[in-house]
Amino acid sequence: MLYELIYRSLGFKEWDTEELSELLEISKIRNREAGITGMLLYHNQEFMQLIEGEREAVLSLYREIVKDDRHHLVHVIWEGYIQERGFDDWTMGFVDTREHKLSLPEGHTNFLEDGILTGSRKNPTVCKCLLVHLRDTLTIAPTIPTF
Ligand SMILES: Cc1cc2nc3c(=O)[nH]c(=O)nc-3n(C[C@H](O)[C@H](O)[C@H](O)COP(=O)(O)O)c2cc1C
């Protein structure tokens, strides 16, 4: 059955565009092989990522991500079974708030102003809504076609 997991984490340092692009390229290839789709948000040194796919694939990727020594304070915000994928066009969609001019609903802007950690604690339900909103407003086509 399909499963989704949303977590947040904090980079050990500010990531530059090149480091993020490298992470994305490798992730997209590996995710395609593992049947994983999702969305990654980078904002002020913090990450929030939704990964979805077969439960074992999702949990196995999450275990690897937790061990990754480029970030820490990795916390699950939400996980559970889903009927269908929400991000099936994206082997990993990506938004860097430094690069993308986002027009967000008011609640989402507050969420980002608070920072992902505080925002997700205050209002965990905004997390998925925000990622879905980013998915729907992203105009850049995925570089690797999906399944
Ligand atoms: C914020 C963040 C998000 C990541 N997302 C993914 C991902 O979606 N897919 C993936 O394969 N690796 C992702 N990684 C990388 C994994 O943690 C790990 O480095 C990668 O799976 C390669 O592991 P290996 O070098 O031990 O083979 C992410 C890492 C970070 C820090």
Side-chain angles (χ1 to χ4, degrees):
M1 258 182 97
L2 288 170
Y3 200 73
E4 74 178 358
L5 185 151
I6 305 174
Y7 73 86
R8 60 75 58 183
S9 69
L10 179 65
F12 273 111
K13 60 172 192 63
E14 187 77 64
W15 286 47
D16 63 31
T17 310
E18 210 170 294
E19 291 165 320
L20 289 166
S21 306
E22 202 175 295
L23 171 68
L24 251 288
E25 288 319 305
I26 293 167
S27 296
K28 283 178 186 174
I29 293 164
R30 290 172 47 101
N31 290 353
R32 188 165 48 155
E33 283 165 5
I36 297 278
T37 47
M39 175 68 70
L40 176 66
L41 170 68
Y42 180 77
H43 175 67
N44 281 350
Q45 215 172 307
E46 285 187 287
F47 292 98
M48 179 161 75
Q49 188 176 26
L50 180 150
I51 50 181
E52 60 183 13
E54 288 302 321
R55 184 169 184 268
E56 261 324 301
V58 168
L59 294 178
S60 146
L61 172 59
Y62 180 67
R63 282 192 291 270
E64 279 186 37
I65 290 174
V66 170
K67 281 190 285 173
D68 197 310
D69 60 10
R70 293 171 291 180
H71 67 165
H72 63 143
L73 303 176
V74 188
H75 291 299
V76 173
I77 297 168
W78 153 257
E79 65 183 313
Y81 288 101
I82 46 171
Q83 298 281 350
E84 55 185 29
R85 289 174 193 267
F87 295 81
D88 52 356
D89 286 341
W90 303 90
T91 44
M92 194 45 63
F94 176 63
V95 167
D96 176 348
T97 54
R98 293 170 301 189
E99 303 283 325
H100 292 82
K101 291 275 164 284
L102 301 173
S103 89
L104 296 173
E106 201 180 314
H108 296 180
T109 313
N110 295 343
F111 178 91
L112 289 179
E113 278 167 8
D114 283 344
I116 293 172
L117 176 61
T118 308
S120 63
R121 280 185 178 152
K122 268 195 201 166
N123 199 347
T125 54
V126 169
C127 299
K128 184 161 180 193
C129 296
L130 173 61
L131 294 167
V132 168
H133 180 80
L134 297 180
R135 175 200 70 190
D136 293 342
T137 52
L138 272 185
T139 50
I140 306 151
T143 49
I144 299 176
T146 50
F147 315 95

